[in-house]
Amino acid sequence: MSIQQFTQTLNANSLDIALVKTQLTAYFENSALAADMLASEIQTACALLLALQQAQCQGHSHLKLTDLAKQCYFADINEVEPVEFKRVGYTFPELGQINHVIQLMQQHPIHGALLVLHENCLFSQKIFEYEQYISYHVSQRIQTLTARIAPQALQLFKQLYPNPETNPWQPIASLTALTQPFYIINGGPGTGKTYTVLRTLLLILAQHHGKLSIGLCAPTGKAAQRVSESIINEVDALKKHSIALDLLEHIPEQATTIHRLLAIRKGSGEARYNSQHPLPYDLLVIDEASMLDTALFYRLLNACRSDTRIILIGDTAQLPSVESGAVLHDLMPKFVNVFSDSICTWLDTFSPNLSQHISQSIPQNGEVRRETYTNYATTLLKNMRSNARVNEVANAIYSSDTPTMMTKLADVQTLWSQTAPDITPLSQGLLLNNINSGDNLHEQLKVETTRCLLALTTAYYEPLLTCSDPVVAIELLKQFRILTPIRKGPFGVTGINYQIEQYLLKQIYDTSKKSVNGMYHGRAILITQNDAQLGVFNGDSGVVLLNDENVLTAYIDRGKQPPLAISPYRLPEVQSLYAMTIHKTQGSEFDKVFIILPPDESAGITKELIYTGITRARSYVAVSGTTEALTRAIAKHHQRNTFIRILDDAGK
């Protein structure tokens, strides 16, 4: 049986199959290896590559061989399909035979180890090299520096944290970051990550007399925009109190995406900055680090000088990256806020009671290993938001405490309904636990979802149709957003946006407010393609309005800067922005969030996804869906197979 015939028996993505065919063709070209392999062995090789490709698309870096041996992969699960049309899949041989095929594939004289076997786990060569590089080089950077603080930094610390015991984790993070060339500031929403990182940067600057170049970046354009706005707000607050005015001049107020920072060229994927041409920064801050995938972080780390300080900011409870890897989760220590005795003693010189908040835990075997202490990471634990209701829901989700989560969520929804009495679905309760399960569950949910969408659209999106000021319109758009885990179908972004748009178009009676290409006055838009010449990028948002000359114009949000005005006919690809996938909203926040959950399990809804969606809300959040779907999601943890490790003695 040829590879072509073999792949026709597999239920797998056609793009994955095409990639595997290309890999095998290149691998066997001009090689006697193919002739030495049995047809069954070539089939196993094909299935291994395909299974590994599938695993990487799901975010894993490797496959465990024990999960493959004697298991059937790529078979049709549709029992209705006639037998003659079914794809029967492939059953892997026993473990010994799989190892034999892998050994054969590692003997190619040109391509070498297309597959890598490490600790009974199967990797692609590239991903294995990336994870090994990250493990080694981060471990190299995690080393305690001399814990000495310059007099000017000590004085500044007292100004930045006049009452350090009020929220001890913030000053602890800032101080311990002085001792580490690599540091992680982890924390949930409202814990003051930006507040802390700005003060950390100022203390490091004071240590170096202001002579440091600082870079600020994030994985996405929206995340970069948000951290820029947050930094600007914190800088303005310190300026009002005349604190560290000379050092504040060195704080970058404009973040960029990692792709733009590295100057990665579209198409070729080549980057201007790499190990041969490193980034010019003494200190690099990466926000929303939970979104970092393995390949991107490898490229970023590879482009940093060995003496460049690195600070990661993120929330490990959020969704991991879309691509393969879970970098922030892997790099976080096993224990939360456990510091060495020397660090604790040093912290007490700044405030006598700082170290009392630190738990010291040594493994049961008594062995003090590097990962025992978290000298390179602090988790901020105290919520500093004036409105902590959403955070209480998020904490319950993080703890998998479903009863508390349900209670707290109901409380938030009730309070929202009290502020918006005209929105009937809010007062009726949005968790549709009273819906009868059965064959018509899907249709019942469609009806209820449509009811909710109409009410919410009338309240929060219809005002855009009568708005004439782009600044006001953009602020209106930031107040509310509909989120969903999926893109297609009646519960997905496409279906929801279509429903909302059809309703809004019916409310526009002035034909001058509509164009033939789908643009209309009041349309909320999301840029989905970069256009450097126009200055718009994937993830930018805005509103289409009639300008003073009665011409439809797209106004793109630029934070505190005036909106960027562009003809909508010049824009790259856009989509309506009434609903977004939860993945797409990482790095963003809205005052109110409405989450729609589909009833089936195929959407891959996990605790991390629900947590991420909930924490996009600053004040109010509501959920439409069945309690069964929500409960099922909270019980499902998003676990990825990855191999990034903090190494003892940088290599063992």
Side-chain angles (χ1 to χ4, degrees):
M1 184 185 296
S2 68
I3 293 295
Q4 177 68 29
Q5 293 171 321
F6 174 66
T7 55
Q8 290 176 353
T9 68
L10 307 179
N11 180 25
N13 185 287
S14 58
L15 294 176
D16 292 342
I17 289 175
L19 177 61
V20 168
K21 285 181 179 178
T22 302
Q23 289 175 316
L24 286 174
T25 300
Y27 196 75
F28 290 137
E29 189 177 18
N30 300 322
S31 173
L33 180 60
D36 296 334
M37 292 181 71
L38 302 173
S40 61
E41 294 171 338
I42 294 177
Q43 290 177 13
T44 301
C46 179
L48 283 171
L49 288 171
L50 194 57
L52 186 56
Q53 177 67 22
Q54 188 180 70
Q56 290 175 354
C57 289
Q58 295 170 350
H60 306 293
S61 70
H62 62 269
L63 277 170
K64 297 178 180 178
L65 293 193
T66 51
D67 293 339
L68 292 174
K70 297 183 178 181
Q71 298 299 312
C72 183
Y73 277 59
F74 317 116
D76 278 332
I77 57 173
N78 186 3
E79 297 181 359
V80 181
E81 194 78 28
V83 176
E84 61 268 25
F85 297 110
K86 276 191 174 182
R87 285 164 291 188
V88 297
Y90 176 75
T91 300
F92 283 95
E94 62 183 14
L95 193 59
Q97 185 60 30
I98 295 176
N99 274 298
H100 172 69
V101 172
I102 295 171
Q103 290 172 9
L104 288 175
M105 296 183 70
Q106 292 174 329
Q107 297 172 10
H108 196 282
I110 299 175
H111 296 279
L114 184 64
L115 298 175
V116 175
L117 186 61
H118 180 72
E119 296 188 11
N120 213 33
C121 296
L122 188 66
F123 300 77
S124 69
Q125 186 178 24
K126 273 191 177 181
I127 293 296
F128 179 76
E129 290 175 352
Y130 292 165
E131 291 194 330
Q132 292 294 297
Y133 182 95
I134 294 170
S135 297
Y136 179 79
H137 285 273
V138 170
S139 299
Q140 285 276 34
R141 292 172 182 270
I142 296 175
Q143 49 182 298
T144 302
L145 304 176
T146 304
R148 295 177 181 174
I149 188 166
Q152 61 271 21
L154 178 59
Q155 184 61 35
L156 179 59
F157 173 79
K158 295 177 180 179
Q159 292 179 281
L160 297 173
Y161 295 107
N163 301 299
E165 294 177 42
T166 303
N167 186 355
W169 301 114
Q170 292 176 338
I172 287 173
S174 291
L175 289 171
T176 51
L178 293 175
T179 73
Q180 290 288 337
F182 181 90
Y183 205 82
I184 300 173
I185 297 176
N186 178 57
T191 54
K193 293 189 291 292
T194 305
Y195 177 98
T196 305
V197 77
L198 175 60
R199 282 154 175 76
T200 301
L201 294 179
L202 290 172
L203 288 175
I204 295 174
L205 279 168
Q207 282 282 86
H208 294 81
H209 308 283
K211 297 179 180 179
L212 282 178
S213 58
I214 301 174
L216 184 61
C217 64
T220 67
K222 181 55 65 177
Q225 180 182 338
R226 185 183 162 209
V227 70
S228 297
E229 294 172 0
S230 299
I231 288 288
I232 290 172
N233 291 337
E234 292 294 342
V235 167
D236 289 345
L238 289 177
K239 285 181 177 178
K240 288 179 181 179
H241 293 87
S242 299
I243 296 176
L245 294 178
D246 56 331
L247 297 177
L248 287 173
E249 296 178 0
H250 300 276
I251 299 295
E253 295 187 346
Q254 187 60 52
T256 185
T257 65
I258 296 174
H259 281 79
R260 293 182 68 187
L261 182 80
L262 297 175
I264 297 176
R265 299 180 181 90
K266 186 178 180 180
S268 68
E270 295 181 357
R272 178 184 177 189
Y273 294 101
N274 48 49
S275 59
Q276 303 303 312
H277 184 206
L279 291 164
Y281 301 112
D282 301 308
L283 195 160
L284 185 63
V285 180
I286 304 113
D287 197 28
E288 295 293 344
S290 64
M291 302 168 68
L292 282 172
D293 63 84
T294 301
L296 187 60
F297 187 59
Y298 162 80
R299 301 186 75 167
L300 185 60
L301 190 60
N302 185 246
C304 290
R305 304 193 312 259
S306 59
D307 62 342
T308 298
R309 287 176 174 258
I310 297 174
I311 297 178
L312 301 185
I313 312 167
D315 182 359
T316 53
Q318 287 191 34
L319 283 168
S321 61
V322 175
E323 303 295 332
S324 175
V327 172
L328 183 64
H329 179 273
D330 291 344
L331 293 178
M332 278 296 294
K334 297 177 181 178
F335 304 95
V336 175
N337 295 340
V338 180
F339 295 83
S340 63
D341 291 340
S342 60
I343 290 293
C344 291
T345 302
W346 181 70
L347 288 172
D348 283 341
T349 63
F350 300 92
S351 178
N353 298 315
L354 270 184
S355 69
Q356 73 177 12
H357 303 278
I358 297 170
S359 62
Q360 294 183 319
S361 174
I362 297 177
Q364 292 183 355
N365 62 8
E367 184 183 2
V368 181
R369 299 169 62 87
R370 175 180 291 188
E371 67 263 28
T372 304
Y373 299 129
T374 67
N375 292 348
Y376 65 95
T378 297
T379 296
L380 306 180
L381 299 174
K382 186 176 181 179
N383 177 48
M384 299 298 288
R385 278 181 175 165
S386 58
N387 184 350
R389 293 184 295 269
V390 174
N391 201 60
E392 290 176 347
V393 179
N395 287 339
I397 294 171
Y398 181 74
S399 305
S400 299
D401 185 351
T402 301
T404 300
M405 183 271 296
M406 290 292 189
T407 302
K408 297 295 183 181
L409 182 58
D411 291 344
V412 175
Q413 293 180 173
T414 300
L415 289 169
W416 188 355
S417 70
Q418 293 173 355
T419 67
D422 295 335
I423 306 176
T424 305
L426 287 173
S427 61
Q428 294 179 353
L430 294 171
L431 278 177
L432 308 175
N433 56 343
N434 59 334
I435 285 185
N436 298 319
S437 60
D439 296 336
N440 64 341
L441 175 62
H442 196 273
E443 290 302 315
Q444 290 185 72
L445 281 174
K446 281 174 63 177
V447 171
E448 291 295 332
T449 300
T450 299
R451 177 180 68 89
C452 295
L453 288 178
L454 179 61
L456 294 165
T457 297
T458 303
Y460 297 110
Y461 289 142
E462 194 170 340
L464 292 172
L465 302 181
T466 56
C467 188
S468 58
D469 187 333
V471 175
V472 174
I474 287 173
E475 285 305 310
L476 283 174
L477 188 60
K478 290 179 178 179
Q479 294 306 303
F480 173 73
R481 195 61 46 85
I482 298 168
L483 307 185
T484 173
I486 56 179
R487 289 201 56 80
K488 298 180 179 180
F491 307 104
V493 169
T494 304
I496 295 168
N497 279 335
Y498 178 80
Q499 287 190 62
I500 292 173
E501 206 150 46
Q502 292 304 301
Y503 172 81
L504 293 176
L505 286 170
K506 290 178 181 178
Q507 315 309 311
I508 303 175
Y509 304 102
D510 186 350
T511 56
S512 68
K513 291 186 174 183
K514 293 190 280 188
S515 73
V516 294
N517 70 338
M519 292 296 178
Y520 54 89
H521 181 91
R523 183 186 181 189
I525 57 173
L526 176 70
I527 308 295
T528 59
Q529 187 178 28
N530 295 332
D531 191 325
Q533 290 186 334
L534 287 178
V536 296
F537 301 92
N538 184 16
D540 285 348
S541 59
V543 181
V544 176
L545 300 174
L546 288 172
N547 63 14
D548 295 337
E549 299 176 352
N550 214 38
V551 177
L552 284 173
T553 304
Y555 294 94
I556 308 303
D557 182 19
R558 285 293 178 261
K560 288 194 171 186
Q561 302 296 321
L564 176 64
I566 303 174
S567 168
Y569 307 104
R570 296 184 62 199
L571 288 174
E573 293 183 10
V574 302
Q575 65 184 41
S576 294
L577 188 59
Y578 307 109
M580 298 176 70
T581 63
I582 295 175
H583 280 90
K584 198 77 172 178
T585 59
Q586 284 189 271
S588 300
E589 280 189 349
F590 313 96
D591 190 55
K592 305 173 184 70
V593 165
F594 179 66
I595 300 173
I596 296 176
L597 294 182
D600 58 342
E601 299 184 55
S602 60
I605 306 172
T606 63
K607 177 173 76 173
E608 289 80 7
L609 188 139
I610 299 296
Y611 176 93
T612 301
I614 293 289
T615 55
R616 299 311 90 197
R618 287 188 292 266
S619 300
Y620 301 105
V621 64
V623 177
S624 178
T626 65
T627 53
E628 182 184 0
L630 184 57
T631 302
R632 187 171 59 233
I634 303 304
K636 189 176 181 181
H637 176 54
H638 192 109
Q639 185 66 46
R640 288 187 170 180
N641 295 331
T642 55
F643 221 89
I644 294 175
R645 303 286 188 269
I646 300 300
L647 308 171
D648 283 338
D649 301 323
K652 295 182 181 179

